[in-house]
Amino acid sequence: MPAQLETAAILTALRAAAEPTRLRILMLLDGGELNVKDLTRILGQSQPRISRHLRLLNEAGLIERFREGTWVYFRLADGGAADGVRRLLTDHVSAGDPERVRDRERAEAVKRERADMAQAYFRTHAAEWDRIRAMHVSEAAVETAMREALGDGPFELLVDLGTGTGRVLELFADRVRRGVGLDINQAMLAYARDRLEHAGHAHCQVRQGDLYNLPLADGCAGAVVIHQVLHFLDDPGRAVAEACRLLAPAGRLLIVDFARHQLEFLREEFAHQRLGFAEQQVNDWLRQAGLTTLGVRHLSPPGEDAQERLTVSIWLASRPEQPGARNQAKRHLEMGAT
């Protein structure tokens, strides 16, 4: 029965793909995520027609849909019959096919427009972010410490909460099979999506999501990162608890934020809700969520005027393995050695 179901799924996927416009849509999505408006512009067809094709591809398991505000994006499905069909198509449909070349050129033009809008937003806020960066140790030093803390993995799924520009996904792209970044800001998501596509990180995607109510299943992630996000939230403890919910047994949570400080202007000028966090405060949130704190590291800036500078703190925590899992693994190792 399982083999028949798998065969049926593959046949359904092939039938869905065996139509000129739907095949063109699949080839376009192989180059990255697109929304309905993008596809209508690229393919020159009406929205109802494109929406019907997308519905059929989605029902066949070839593509996935997700909402960002009033927009709906689509991408190739991850896993199942879609993987085999996708490989078949990308390996055998000629990249030089005139229609495919035209579609690709139009898609690139649409993405450039979207990227220009995102870049404009980024430039508007870049000066503010640069001012804050100048007050603490270099980003390079923080990122090196983050990679050291989280470990080599590899992680089946890494979730980056408050992904912003998508930099954390870039930072750990070589250590994850799949990365998902969530953020509430559509402009930042557009910037992050363009950045990841240009970096060639097709296994990393971004989504719109509420950090207090994440659209992900319990225990789905091997690693979760919250980088410079908590100080913007009115209820950071609740966000930490929601992040902990995502962790699989032995999964790791990395929190990067400012240590407690007295720089009130950050609240007034940059919308910081919290003036950093005490080490014990974050440890208590982690404990209440059932995690064990593995270590805390504080990166203080050089210079004597410490009151006008920011210390970056890095917490690493882990969800304990299921009872008996460690002993069971040990028994397997002992049996294998005999």
Side-chain angles (χ1 to χ4, degrees), residues 280-332:
Q280 191 58 48
Q281 182 179 30
V282 177
N283 287 341
D284 287 343
W285 288 335
L286 296 170
R287 177 181 50 79
Q288 291 164 10
L291 267 61
T292 299
T293 300
L294 301 180
V296 184
R297 183 177 178 183
H298 303 291
L299 303 177
S300 299
E304 298 179 357
D305 193 6
Q307 291 187 345
E308 297 300 320
R309 310 298 292 276
L310 294 167
T311 292
V312 175
S313 298
I314 300 175
W315 287 264
L316 179 67
S318 178
R319 179 173 298 287
E321 296 181 10
Q322 294 176 342
R326 189 182 302 275
N327 291 335
Q328 185 178 14
K330 182 179 179 181
R331 286 196 298 272
H332 281 305

Side-chain angles (χ1 to χ4, degrees), residues 233-253:
L233 305 181
D234 58 356
D235 192 353
R238 181 181 165 197
V240 169
E242 181 69 352
C244 295
R245 178 184 66 79
L246 304 183
L247 283 182
R252 292 190 157 202
L253 172 63

Side-chain angles (χ1 to χ4, degrees), residues 23 36 44 77 125 136 199 208 225 238 253 283 295:
L23 179 59
V36 176
H125 295 80
H136 60 74
Q208 189 172 45
V225 179
R238 181 181 165 197
L253 172 63
N283 287 341

Side-chain angles (χ1 to χ4, degrees), residues 21 24-25 28 34-54 74 103 106 110:
T21 297
R24 291 169 70 187
I25 290 173
L28 285 166
L34 296 166
N35 59 44
V36 176
K37 183 179 179 181
D38 294 336
L39 289 166
T40 58
R41 293 180 58 192
I42 295 166
L43 297 172
Q45 299 183 21
S46 68
Q47 181 171 330
R49 182 181 175 90
I50 293 297
S51 295
R52 177 178 176 275
H53 287 310
L54 290 168
F74 294 86
D103 286 348
R106 291 169 183 164
V110 167

Side-chain angles (χ1 to χ4, degrees), residues 8 14 22 74 79 117 150 153 172 178 182 191 233 235 249 254:
L14 287 171
R22 292 199 285 275
F74 294 86
M117 293 176 61
L150 193 61
F172 291 106
R178 185 182 175 210
L182 293 110
Y191 179 86
L233 305 181
D235 192 353
L254 189 70

Side-chain angles (χ1 to χ4, degrees), residues 40-170:
T40 58
R41 293 180 58 192
I42 295 166
L43 297 172
Q45 299 183 21
S46 68
Q47 181 171 330
R49 182 181 175 90
I50 293 297
S51 295
R52 177 178 176 275
H53 287 310
L54 290 168
R55 177 176 58 80
L56 293 172
L57 290 170
N58 180 249
E59 290 174 352
L62 281 167
I63 65 174
E64 297 174 347
R65 70 190 301 274
F66 57 95
R67 182 174 294 277
E68 281 185 11
T70 58
W71 292 359
V72 176
Y73 277 88
F74 294 86
R75 70 179 181 92
L76 293 178
D78 183 30
D83 281 343
V85 173
R86 178 171 59 206
R87 286 193 297 270
L88 177 67
L89 295 174
T90 55
D91 289 349
H92 294 87
V93 176
S94 172
D97 178 81
E99 189 170 57
R100 187 177 179 191
V101 170
R102 288 196 300 273
D103 286 348
R104 189 165 57 243
E105 290 174 347
R106 291 169 183 164
E108 289 172 355
V110 167
K111 288 181 180 181
R112 278 197 301 272
E113 288 181 23
R114 201 164 63 195
D116 288 344
M117 293 176 61
Q119 287 280 5
Y121 175 89
F122 184 73
R123 285 193 297 270
T124 300
H125 295 80
E128 301 173 3
W129 296 328
D130 286 343
R131 182 180 173 190
I132 295 177
R133 287 193 191 99
M135 300 176 65
H136 60 74
V137 296
S138 71
E139 290 292 323
V142 175
E143 291 180 354
T144 296
M146 290 171 63
R147 283 177 64 87
E148 291 174 352
L150 193 61
D152 294 337
F155 301 101
E156 185 70 14
L157 172 65
L158 180 143
V159 179
D160 178 30
L161 301 182
T163 194
T165 65
R167 175 56 189 161
V168 168
L169 293 175
E170 278 190 314

